[in-house]
């Protein structure tokens, strides 16, 4: 397998640390001048940009949080004038208010290169046909994969998400060799293709699947159904999008593009930096991003870092697949869902709807099921079936418009939701992801 | 000219219906009539009992929601066309039936038909005018 940017990707650790240090110092200086919130936090911590001499001082810098993006919505954290922002992307947050991120030309170029690294690691090259089945829109998945394919010089097929039959036809007719989409959708495509007896018509060699948690068992099944090698990819729009880290052919963790993003693992409670190999919260610092840079961004993902040399020759550190979240966020069919959102929606509907709910998530046939049980009240109950169905529909619609994903709403008896020590158990996640 | 009906919310879970009937029978509630409307998500159990308030209290204790509603109960002669004349009368008056179910009354040879319509007052008036007898609560 070839390496897309061998100089950067195989840079000896010592040299890499030096590069990171130079970039970090410059980034801190620039952000102190341009980003009001960062300057304020530095001042509060009694720090000046001159106090930061290299990566060894990284731990002194203040953290940044998802809430910052909401507080400074939409453009308040950008470090360049809007005329230099060439594209924005967005994703939904806890309160239903989306967060916005922006990219300069250089940022977009860097991102495309990072995704091209992931593509190259699967064996893709300029002869490949990259089937972009992530949604092309405000979500970073689609454009990230598309730009990466274009940067590589491969043929991009920006079909976007949905319309399974057309996906399959296109995949066959256009000769797609690399499939990029969510793992659950890959599974669904694989099943449809298998049912229609079209497996032999495929030209797929590799698949890059991300944006939602998936298991080794799913990997095995996707590989069998689509006859490709399945690779994991990681990213988040706050930091860049897909391609922050990616698997190489040895599939023993995801190489973080360390020349652009410095990862740290911290104890989420004490905020202390943990030694290499320890599991904790993943924190990222973007050292080359111009448009929307972040210092020590708390991802809330729990994972660990492995600095041992990889057989592929890349020197960049590997992170393992996130093992969970430090907050209560659920990822359901690729969509971020916070229990607090459901409570807010139920309260907002008002009337007779109780805010007593329970989320039940499971995985059936490799697709997430999403149920929201809502306790019934005397006032919500009417003698007619249609009246109760209207209540269910009202709740479903309200949740769907806030979450971007429709749950199955079940009305249940009052006081039937499990309570322990008076506190209701809000989430039951039956998905086995180990 | 109405009788009391108890409408009970039944969760879509196995054993729910059984636990409701069980609780009512343990409390010696006399079930005179019973009907269930079912959807894929939930059901509404409708019962006619001798003491609706007592039944409601029993259900409330086991965390089940119910509501007492007034319904019309029509006496139907046990002969061909008995029900048809009721339906004709209502449809001639432009009244729609939301649901109905039958049960046997105390009076021999007569079935009782519980009716919920789009307009119960109008339905009662139309039926009475057509000479169709309605049942009183005391006759149940
Ligand atoms: Zn490797």
């Amino acid at each position: 397998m070839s390496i897309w940017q061998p100089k950067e990707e195989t840079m000896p650790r010592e040299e890499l640390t030096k590069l990171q240090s130079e970039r970090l110092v410059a980034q801190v200086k620039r952000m102190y001048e341009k980003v009001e919130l960062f300057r304020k936090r530095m001042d509060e911590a009694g720090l000046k940009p001159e106090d930061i001499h290299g990566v060894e001082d990284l731990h002194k810098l203040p953290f940044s949080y998802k809430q910052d993006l909401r507080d400074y919505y939409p453009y308040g954290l950008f470090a360049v004038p809007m005329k230099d922002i060439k594209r924005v992307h967005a994703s939904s947050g806890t309160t239903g208010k989306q967060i916005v991120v922006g990219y300069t030309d250089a940022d977009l170029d860097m991102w495309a290169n990072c995704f091209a690294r992931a593509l190259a690691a699967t064996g893709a090259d300029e002869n490949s046909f990259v089937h972009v089945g992530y949604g092309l829109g405000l979500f970073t998945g689609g454009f990230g994969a598309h730009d990466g394919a274009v940067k590589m010089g491969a043929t991009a097929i920006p079909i976007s998400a949905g319309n399974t039959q057309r996906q399959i036809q296109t995949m066959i007719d256009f000769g797609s060799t690399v499939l990029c989409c969510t793992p659950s959708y890959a599974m669904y495509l694989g099943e449809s293709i298998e049912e229609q007896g079209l497996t032999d018509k495929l030209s797929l060699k590799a698949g890059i699947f991300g944006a939602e948690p998936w298991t080794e068992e799913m990997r095995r099944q996707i590989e069998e159904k689509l006859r490709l090698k399945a690779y994991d990819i990681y990213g988040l729009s706050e930091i860049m999008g897909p391609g922050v880290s990616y698997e190489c052919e040895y599939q023993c963790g995801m190489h973080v593009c360390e020349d652009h993003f410095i990862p740290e693992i911290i104890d989420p409670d004490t905020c202390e930096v943990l030694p290499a190999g320890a599991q904790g919260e993943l924190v990222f610092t973007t050292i080359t991003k111009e448009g929307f840079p972040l210092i020590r961004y708390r991802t809330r993902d729990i994972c660990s870092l492995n600095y041992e040399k990889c057989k592929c020759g890349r020197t960049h550190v590997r992170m393992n697949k996130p093992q969970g979240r430090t907050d209560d966020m659920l990822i359901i069919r690729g969509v971020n869902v916070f229990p607090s959102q459901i409570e807010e929606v139920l309260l907002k509907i008002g009337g007779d709807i109780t805010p007593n709910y329970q989320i039940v998530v499971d995985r059936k046939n490799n697709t997430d099921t999403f149920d929201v049980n809502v306790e019934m009240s005397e006032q919500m109950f009417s003698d007619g079936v249609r009246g109760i169905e209207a209540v269910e529909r009202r709740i479903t619609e309200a949740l769907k418009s806030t979450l971007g994903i429709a749950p199955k709403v079940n009305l249940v008896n009052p006081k039937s939701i499990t309570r322990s020590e008076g506190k209701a158990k809000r989430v039951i996640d039956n998905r086995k992801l180990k | 000219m109405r009788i009391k009906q108890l409408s009970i919310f039944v969760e879509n879970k196995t054993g729910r219906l059984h636990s409701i009937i069980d609780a009512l029978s343990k409390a010696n509630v006399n079930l005179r009539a019973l009907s269930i409307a079912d959807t894929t998500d939930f059901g509404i159990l409708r019962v006619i009992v001798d003491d609706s308030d007592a039944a409601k209290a029993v259900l409330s204790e086991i965390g089940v929601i119910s509501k007492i509603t007034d319904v019309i109960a029509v006496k139907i002669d046990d002969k061909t066309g008995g029900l048809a004349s009721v339906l004709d009368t209502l449809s001639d008056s432009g009244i729609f039936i939301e649901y109905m179910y039958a049960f046997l009354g105390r009076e021999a040879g007569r079935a009782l038909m519980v009716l919920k319509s789009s307009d119960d007052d109008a339905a009662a008036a139309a039926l009475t005018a057509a000479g169709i007898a309605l049942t009183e609560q005391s006759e149940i």
Side-chain angles (χ1 to χ4, degrees):
Chain A
M1 303 287 170
S2 69
I3 294 178
W4 178 246
Q5 293 177 303
K7 182 173 171 289
E8 290 84 0
E9 292 179 75
T10 64
M11 189 176 277
R13 175 58 54 183
E14 208 172 305
E15 209 181 309
L16 182 61
T17 305
K18 195 164 158 279
L19 177 71
Q20 286 179 326
S21 290
E22 285 166 15
R23 289 180 168 177
L24 176 68
V25 169
Q27 184 77 298
V28 167
K29 187 168 176 292
R30 200 173 67 86
M31 281 180 68
Y32 190 80
E33 284 163 22
K34 313 274 186 193
V35 185
E36 182 205 327
L37 177 67
F38 181 67
R39 185 166 55 247
K40 191 169 143 257
R41 292 229 170 106
M42 286 285 280
D43 291 347
E44 278 165 9
L47 281 170
K48 290 276 167 248
E50 305 83 77
D51 298 328
I52 305 303
H53 305 285
V55 288
E56 68 278 10
D57 296 324
L58 182 61
H59 71 276
K60 295 178 184 164
L61 290 165
F63 290 112
S64 49
Y65 308 88
K66 188 152 193 170
Q67 186 61 38
D68 300 342
L69 279 78
R70 287 189 216 107
D71 293 346
Y72 287 78
Y73 175 87
Y75 306 137
L77 297 176
F78 289 6
V80 298
M82 287 310 289
K83 72 173 175 52
D84 296 326
I85 294 287
K86 299 305 169 191
R87 199 158 86 208
V88 291
H89 280 284
S91 70
S92 63
T94 52
T95 56
K97 190 177 185 181
Q98 56 189 351
I99 57 157
V100 181
V101 295
Y103 306 79
T104 64
D105 274 330
D107 293 338
L108 291 172
D109 189 62
M110 179 271 284
W111 183 11
N113 272 313
C114 288
F115 202 98
R117 291 178 187 180
L119 281 168
T122 73
D125 58 24
E126 68 274 16
N127 298 312
S128 299
F129 293 82
V130 181
H131 190 101
V132 181
Y134 288 115
L136 280 135
L138 284 175
F139 169 58
T140 50
F143 277 100
H146 177 80
D147 289 356
V150 171
K151 171 63 72 181
M152 167 162 270
T155 306
I157 306 172
I159 188 164
S160 197
N163 197 342
T164 305
Q165 216 43 50
R166 187 157 155 261
Q167 297 270 356
I168 296 171
Q169 197 60 50
T170 304
M171 213 178 276
I172 293 168
D173 294 350
F174 294 12
S176 306
T177 59
V178 184
L179 172 62
C180 303
C181 63
T182 60
S184 57
Y185 193 59
M187 185 65 99
Y188 183 72
L189 277 172
E191 278 162 6
S192 305
I193 289 166
E194 209 172 50
E195 269 165 30
Q196 297 173 44
L198 296 171
T199 318
D200 287 339
K201 297 201 158 42
L202 295 175
S203 314
L204 292 171
K205 292 191 176 73
I208 300 181
F209 307 118
E212 65 185 18
W214 53 310
T215 60
E216 285 305 313
E217 171 57 20
M218 271 179 90
R219 190 201 298 261
R220 200 190 57 72
Q221 287 191 33
I222 292 170
E223 290 185 337
E224 187 186 295
K225 288 184 203 305
L226 291 169
R227 297 196 192 151
L228 48 69
K229 185 163 174 178
Y231 293 81
D232 203 355
I233 192 163
Y234 174 89
L236 60 170
S237 49
E238 298 94 304
I239 296 304
M240 177 181 77
V244 171
S245 69
Y246 57 91
E247 275 184 337
C248 66
E249 71 261 38
Y250 294 100
Q251 303 194 320
C252 47
M254 293 177 276
H255 287 286
V256 176
C257 293
E258 271 192 284
D259 47 335
H260 301 295
F261 315 109
I262 306 179
E264 294 170 279
I265 296 291
I266 64 161
D267 179 323
D269 298 321
T270 65
C271 299
E272 291 296 315
V273 178
L274 297 175
Q279 184 160 295
E281 182 179 341
L282 180 63
V283 172
F284 274 116
T285 296
T286 66
I287 48 175
T288 55
K289 274 255 294 296
E290 298 176 342
F292 176 51
L294 280 172
I295 299 286
R296 302 194 85 200
Y297 181 71
R298 304 278 297 260
T299 66
R300 303 287 174 193
D301 282 325
I302 307 251
C303 72
S304 62
L305 296 174
N306 180 355
Y307 285 90
E308 281 167 40
K309 203 166 174 352
C310 183
K311 279 182 279 185
C312 70
R314 290 177 183 81
T315 51
H316 291 184
V317 68
R318 285 165 285 153
M319 58 177 267
N320 66 347
K321 196 189 270 293
Q323 303 295 301
R325 304 267 312 164
T326 62
D327 54 20
D328 52 4
M329 185 183 92
L330 291 158
I331 301 178
I332 303 171
R333 283 176 238 146
V335 176
N336 299 350
V337 174
F338 293 86
S340 55
Q341 282 177 294
I342 300 201
E343 184 162 333
E344 270 171 43
V345 169
L346 292 175
L347 286 168
K348 216 185 314 173
I349 297 175
D352 305 322
I353 312 288
T354 69
N356 300 326
Y357 67 94
Q358 184 170 54
I359 302 167
V360 183
V361 192
D362 207 338
R363 183 161 283 170
K364 283 180 187 131
N365 301 321
N366 291 299
T367 301
D368 294 335
T369 62
F370 176 26
D371 283 55
V372 174
N373 298 332
V374 180
E375 282 186 3
M376 189 81 173
S377 68
E378 193 110 350
Q379 293 73 28
M380 285 159 75
F381 181 55
S382 56
D383 177 38
V385 167
R386 266 171 296 166
I388 299 174
E389 281 177 336
V391 171
E392 278 187 339
R393 221 171 16 246
R394 196 144 57 104
I395 299 174
T396 308
E397 287 304 317
L399 287 171
K400 189 185 168 195
S401 79
T402 294
L403 304 175
I405 176 175
K408 179 168 178 336
V409 170
N410 307 299
L411 296 173
V412 299
N413 281 337
K415 308 274 182 299
S416 66
I417 286 170
T418 334
R419 284 165 169 82
S420 62
E421 291 155 8
K423 203 169 176 294
K425 193 165 164 46
R426 294 297 179 204
V427 179
I428 295 181
D429 192 344
N430 293 320
R431 293 175 294 188
K432 298 274 177 290
L433 291 172
K434 295 283 136 55
Chain B
M1 302 292 261
R2 304 291 161 81
I3 63 167
K4 300 238 173 280
Q5 169 189 262
L6 189 62
S7 303
I8 305 162
F9 178 70
V10 186
E11 279 181 311
N12 178 21
K13 273 185 197 157
T14 44
R16 280 296 167 214
L17 190 56
H18 180 259
S19 63
I20 290 168
I21 302 290
D22 200 43
L24 291 177
S25 87
K26 277 188 183 136
N28 292 315
V29 172
N30 188 7
L31 278 177
R32 301 299 321 280
L34 175 155
S35 145
I36 186 151
D38 225 352
T39 75
T40 49
D41 294 338
F42 62 88
I44 300 177
L45 177 66
R46 301 184 177 110
V47 295
I48 306 288
V49 296
D50 46 358
D51 187 344
S52 300
D53 293 316
K56 185 172 164 53
V58 165
L59 293 174
S60 174
E61 265 170 45
I62 60 162
V64 170
I65 288 184
S66 61
K67 189 165 256 176
I68 297 171
T69 43
D70 286 331
V71 288
I72 296 172
V74 184
K75 290 178 191 168
I76 301 208
D77 288 328
D78 190 11
K79 64 176 191 212
T80 324
L83 176 59
S85 64
V86 170
L87 299 182
D88 286 346
T89 304
L90 293 177
S91 90
D92 289 348
S93 312
I95 296 162
F96 303 101
I97 295 172
E98 285 180 13
Y99 61 80
M100 56 189 223
Y101 56 97
F103 67 107
L104 282 176
R106 296 223 170 110
E107 220 175 312
R110 268 192 164 174
L112 294 176
M113 178 66 71
V114 172
L115 263 180
K116 183 79 185 170
S117 70
S118 50
D119 184 345
D120 282 347
D121 289 334
L127 291 166
T128 310
I132 294 166
L134 303 185
T135 309
E136 302 276 358
Q137 180 73 31
S138 56
E139 294 177 78
I140 302 290

